[in-house]
Amino acid sequence: MSISQLARSIEPSPTLRMNEEARLLRQKGEPVIHLGIGEPKNKAPISALLASAAKLNTGEIKYAPTSGIPSLKKAIVRYTEENYGRLVSAENVIVSGGAKQSIYNLLLSIVDPQDEVILLAPYWVSYPEMVKLAYGHPVVVTAEDGSFQPSMAEIERAVSSYTKAIILNSPNNPSGVVYSEAFVASMVDFCESRKIYLIMDDIYHKLVFDGVKAPSAYSFTKKDVDESYIIVTNGVSKLYGMTGHRIGWVVGNRKIIEAIDTLQSATSSGPSVVSQAAAEGALTGVQSVVEHLRLTIQNNRDVLMKELRSFNGVGITCPQGTFYALPDFRAYSRNSVQLAEMLLKKALVVTVPGVTFGMEGHLRLSYAGTVKDVTEGIKRMKWALDPNAPNEIFIGDRKLVRDWL
Ligand SMILES: Cc1ncc(COP(=O)(O)O)c(C=O)c1O
C-alpha cells in the first residue's frame, strides 16, 4: 500500500483521537468526564433551525454558488459592518465548509512552496498541518518569558523574506488569551509596512469575559479591504453552537477571494444550501443567544479557576475568552501526552496534551461542558496526581485505582 509523502507528513488531530478514545470508553459504559471538547453544549438558535427546515421543505436542495448563497454573503457583510464597523462588499466574502476549510483554502491561495507562515505559540493545532499541506513552512514563535504572548520583537526576529502571513487567533485556542489593542495595532502596522498578510482567526471573538473586548485589526487601518493585508476568518461553529453545520467564511481582498473561489470550485464546491440557510438564520436572528452562551461559559471559567487555584503546583493564566484554559502541569510531568493518557486511563478524564499546541508540560482543559463536568473532572485530576490521596475511589460502583505514582 503506497501512501503519499504529503499525507504521511501530516499529524492526525490529537483532539479527535482523544475524543474517539473517550467515545469508545463511554460506549463501554465508563463514567468519562470530557474536558477535551471543542464545542459548546447549546443547541443551534431557533432561527437557524427554522431557516434550514424551511429550506429542506422546498425540496430544492441543489448545488450552491461556489462562494456561498447571496443572502448568506449579505448577512456576513452586515455582520462585518455591525461587529467591525467595516464596510465590505459581497465580492470580499467567501463561504466554505467550516472555518477550518476557510483557513485551509485561504492558505492554499496565498502560500507558495518555501513560503513561511508565522504562528504564535500556543497555536491552534491545525495551523501547522494546514501550512504544510499548502507546501509552506510553519514558523513558531514562543515567548521567551514563558507567557502565552510573544512580543513584537520576538515576532519581528522570526520574520524573513519568505514570510507570507502571520496568523493571530484572539481570543486564543488553547490559552484563552486576548491580545491587547497595542499589540494588534503594532501587528497591523508591521504587516502592512512589510506586505505580509495578517490572518485574524476570529472564531471566538465574542466569547470574551469580564468586559474585555477582542480588538479588531480593522480598527488600526484606514485602508480599504481591497488594499489591506488584513484577512478575517470566522464561522458559526463556536458562537452559535453550530459545529455540525460546517459553515465558515473569509473576508478579504477580492483577488484572494476569487482565488479561493476557483480553488473551491475545483474541490468541494459551495457548502450545503441547508447549512448555509441555517447560518443565515443564526446571523440574522436574535443575537442574545450568543450573549447567553458567553455568560454560561464565563461562569464555567470562574468555577474552573476556583478549582485550579486550589490545585497544588499547577500554574494558571486566567483565560479572558474562548472556552479553554491551558494550565501548567510541569510540576507533575514534562510529558503532556503521557500525562493526558494517564488521566484518561486512571481518572477517566479527557484533556488535550499541550505539546500539540506548542506548549509542552501544559494540558488544555475545556469548560464548554457543564459546571459539574468541570468540578468532577478537576476533583478526579487532583486525586490522580496527589501522592497522599487514597489509592482507590468509587464513582458510583466503578472503582478507580491510582497505582501509577
Ligand atoms: C482557533 C480555531 N479556528 C478555527 C476552527 C475551526 O472551526 P470550524 O469548526 O468552523 O471548522 C477552530 C475549531 O476548533 C478553532 O479552534
Side-chain angles (χ1 to χ4, degrees), residues 218-386:
Y218 288 132
S219 325
F220 308 108
T221 181
K222 293 215 160 27
K223 286 203 166 110
D224 182 82
V225 70
D226 280 319
E227 290 152 28
S228 166
Y229 276 76
I230 297 169
I231 307 169
V232 176
T233 65
N234 207 334
V236 291
S237 294
K238 311 290 177 172
L239 301 186
Y240 297 94
M242 290 171 64
T243 46
H245 285 81
R246 311 307 306 128
I247 296 293
W249 59 82
V250 178
V251 176
N253 183 311
R254 71 185 69 202
K255 290 233 156 49
I256 292 175
I257 301 299
E258 272 167 31
I260 300 176
D261 191 325
T262 308
L263 213 126
Q264 198 156 283
S265 71
T267 52
S268 61
S269 301
S272 154
V273 286
V274 180
S275 286
Q276 293 199 58
E280 183 188 337
L283 293 185
T284 54
V286 186
Q287 296 303 299
S288 54
V289 287
V290 179
E291 180 58 7
H292 187 256
L293 173 68
R294 192 190 71 76
L295 289 170
T296 308
I297 299 282
Q298 180 171 285
N299 182 51
N300 289 3
R301 189 273 321 244
D302 291 343
V303 172
L304 177 72
M305 284 301 109
K306 186 164 167 276
E307 295 295 330
L308 286 178
R309 280 190 195 106
S310 60
F311 201 144
N312 265 345
V314 172
I316 34 179
T317 301
C318 184
Q320 298 165 295
T322 69
F323 33 70
Y324 309 109
L326 193 66
D328 181 349
F329 282 85
R330 279 175 292 183
Y332 292 98
S333 172
R334 296 203 159 245
N335 185 326
S336 56
V337 172
Q338 272 176 12
L339 186 61
E341 275 168 4
M342 185 283 289
L343 288 169
L344 181 57
K345 204 160 150 237
K346 300 290 172 187
L348 297 175
V349 178
V350 183
T351 58
V352 188
V355 68
T356 55
F357 308 99
M359 280 286 154
E360 184 50 301
H362 295 64
L363 292 177
R364 190 189 75 176
L365 307 180
S366 164
Y367 42 95
T370 61
V371 164
K372 194 163 162 281
D373 289 336
V374 171
T375 48
E376 174 66 16
I378 302 295
K379 192 174 108 194
R380 287 195 210 170
M381 288 170 71
K382 283 178 178 163
W383 164 76
L385 293 169
D386 177 359

Side-chain angles (χ1 to χ4, degrees), residues 13-167:
S13 160
T15 328
L16 298 185
R17 200 191 66 224
M18 292 292 278
N19 283 350
E20 183 54 17
E21 275 181 42
R23 194 186 63 77
L24 293 174
L25 284 169
R26 270 199 177 140
Q27 220 173 36
K28 284 195 218 151
E30 293 284 27
V32 171
I33 296 285
H34 211 319
L35 300 184
I37 38 174
E39 58 188 354
K41 279 220 163 265
N42 61 334
K43 293 219 165 83
I46 188 80
S47 56
L49 299 177
L50 291 175
S52 53
K55 183 69 203 170
L56 268 175
N57 281 335
T58 65
E60 289 286 315
I61 314 301
K62 307 289 186 194
Y63 286 128
T66 305
S67 67
I69 54 173
S71 52
L72 173 58
K73 288 174 71 176
K74 203 165 146 197
I76 295 167
V77 167
R78 205 170 318 123
Y79 185 91
T80 307
E81 193 181 353
E82 276 169 15
N83 291 284
Y84 298 91
R86 183 55 58 130
L87 250 180
V88 298
S89 69
E91 288 72 40
N92 298 116
V93 176
I94 184 159
V95 179
S96 299
K100 207 174 212 173
Q101 194 189 32
S102 301
I103 300 165
Y104 178 49
N105 285 353
L106 166 62
L107 290 170
L108 284 178
S109 305
I110 59 174
V111 172
D112 276 317
Q114 304 305 322
D115 276 351
E116 293 173 353
V117 177
I118 296 209
L119 310 175
L120 311 193
Y123 47 78
W124 181 42
V125 59
S126 297
Y127 296 146
E129 307 315 303
M130 289 184 185
V131 173
K132 286 193 264 168
L133 282 168
Y135 293 101
H137 295 294
V139 173
V140 173
V141 183
T142 307
E144 268 165 28
D145 65 3
S147 74
F148 295 148
Q149 306 184 53
S151 66
M152 249 344 270
E154 287 170 323
I155 295 167
E156 283 179 32
R157 277 203 295 279
V159 167
S160 78
S161 55
Y162 288 108
T163 306
K164 185 52 79 65
I166 301 178
I167 305 185

